[in-house]
Amino acid sequence: MTADHIVTTVVRPDLSRRTALSKSAVVQFDLCQTKAWFSIHDRRPFVPNEKTSFGSAVDAAVEKVIEDVRDGRDIDEERSFAAAAEIVERDAAGVELSKVESAVRTFRANILPTFDWAEVALQAHLNTNVDGLGEVDGHPDIILASNAVWDVKTGKAKRTAETPELGLYGVLVEAVSGSRVPEVGYIYYDRDLVTPKWGVISAPFTDEYHRWAFERARAFARAKEADALLNAGAERAENYSMVGGPKFDGLCSDCPYSPALGGPCSLVYKKEEAS
């Protein structure tokens, strides 16, 4: 799979009405089944915050840098910073552009020389039917000419590259390309350090990793199928198949379905106000 036959762009599509199985849906189901159910029946607009907007801005800028290298051009720093500034202005989430620019400069110094970017596909739109999963849709950040899949993250250091999201990307890329994915990994920017820095972590995409990732995605697909059957013809949908709560209590703090934010979720523990 190469850049020659995949259209790449930094313009992100509107995924708010996507119905195909996706990385986001599988990750959400893994973190909180109840939120995944609400996202099907009461989908609410995503509200950017500083963390997500920072990540989107860095993604956009890094993509421009890699494009320049892939296409044999001198790196146009201003072009990459302009892409980041567009995200920062769009989201208005309090991101300091200077911190984004610092992240991009350290990416150029520490990460760019460690990969072969020839024929890399960036934000490729992949869509196909996978037996057992149905329609699967995704936009992996980076697919190298070797078919290795990498995801760019900002935040805490990644502890493992064996995750449902990277696994689903591996399954999807193999289904579309017809070729093995040798490895998957994260290129991450650790913002929790006094001096933030980039790191990489990867894992071979073995047969067992493929099987495990497929079954994690299939768990969501089965729950969604059961939900559709159980609520067929119902005037008001009820949750019977995605009843698990959040893996961590902190996930409720910014969840749009939390009662604290006007949401309907009954699994949130409401602390009583001190009198």
Side-chain angles (χ1 to χ4, degrees):
M1 182 172 298
T2 69
D4 292 335
H5 61 278
I6 291 180
V7 176
T8 61
T9 175
V10 295
V11 177
R12 305 298 189 247
D14 179 9
L15 304 178
S16 62
R17 297 300 171 189
R18 178 170 56 178
T19 58
L21 190 147
S22 67
K23 176 202 76 170
S24 298
V26 170
V27 170
Q28 189 173 79
F29 180 76
D30 186 62
L31 292 175
C32 181
Q33 294 182 14
T34 298
K35 184 176 182 180
W37 185 85
F38 278 124
S39 294
I40 294 170
H41 294 278
D42 183 18
R43 188 170 292 182
R44 299 189 174 191
F46 174 73
V47 179
N49 55 44
E50 195 277 339
K51 290 182 180 179
T52 60
S53 185
F54 179 89
S56 296
V58 170
D59 278 353
V62 162
E63 187 174 326
K64 292 294 188 183
V65 170
I66 297 174
E67 277 183 359
D68 284 341
V69 173
R70 180 195 66 194
D71 298 341
R73 298 188 296 263
D74 291 336
I75 295 174
D76 186 340
E77 187 174 77
E78 293 307 312
R79 188 175 81 107
S80 65
F81 290 166
E86 184 177 343
I87 301 296
V88 171
E89 182 178 356
R90 179 199 69 189
D91 292 352
V95 173
E96 295 182 39
L97 186 58
S98 61
K99 292 183 177 180
V100 176
E101 293 174 351
S102 177
V104 176
R105 290 193 176 102
T106 54
F107 175 88
R108 288 182 58 182
N110 300 325
I111 300 298
L112 202 62
T114 65
F115 286 86
D116 180 359
W117 302 109
E119 298 186 325
V120 64
L122 303 169
Q123 280 290 322
H125 181 198
L126 308 182
N127 183 284
T128 193
N129 284 298
V130 177
D131 288 344
L133 298 181
E135 183 187 5
V136 183
D137 190 271
H139 297 77
D141 287 342
I142 295 168
I143 307 175
L144 298 178
S146 67
N147 234 27
V149 182
W150 291 84
D151 204 29
V152 179
K153 295 288 189 184
T154 59
K156 296 181 180 180
K158 307 303 292 183
R159 295 182 179 181
T160 179
E162 293 169 325
T163 62
E165 62 176 344
L166 283 180
L168 183 61
Y169 275 159
V171 170
L172 178 57
V173 170
E174 288 191 345
V176 171
S177 68
S179 301
R180 290 298 299 264
V181 168
E183 68 176 339
V184 295
Y186 291 110
I187 300 171
Y188 62 87
Y189 185 66
D190 189 348
R191 299 183 73 191
D192 284 0
L193 302 175
V194 174
T195 303
K197 68 177 183 179
W198 288 92
V200 297
I201 186 170
S202 65
F205 196 61
T206 61
D207 290 342
E208 174 58 17
Y209 192 170
H210 186 291
R211 183 205 64 79
W212 174 82
F214 177 88
E215 290 301 334
R216 295 295 286 265
R218 181 65 183 135
F220 170 71
R222 286 197 303 266
K224 189 175 179 182
E225 289 170 1
D227 177 70
L229 289 171
L230 292 167
N231 283 297
E235 291 185 9
R236 180 176 179 272
E238 296 285 350
N239 185 4
Y240 303 103
S241 62
M242 304 185 195
V243 296
K247 277 191 172 181
F248 317 103
D249 290 341
L251 294 174
C252 299
S253 62
D254 61 354
C255 176
Y257 305 107
S258 170
L261 299 175
C265 185
S266 62
L267 297 187
V268 179
Y269 183 81
K270 304 174 189 176
K271 294 183 179 180
E272 294 184 5
E273 297 288 340
S275 58

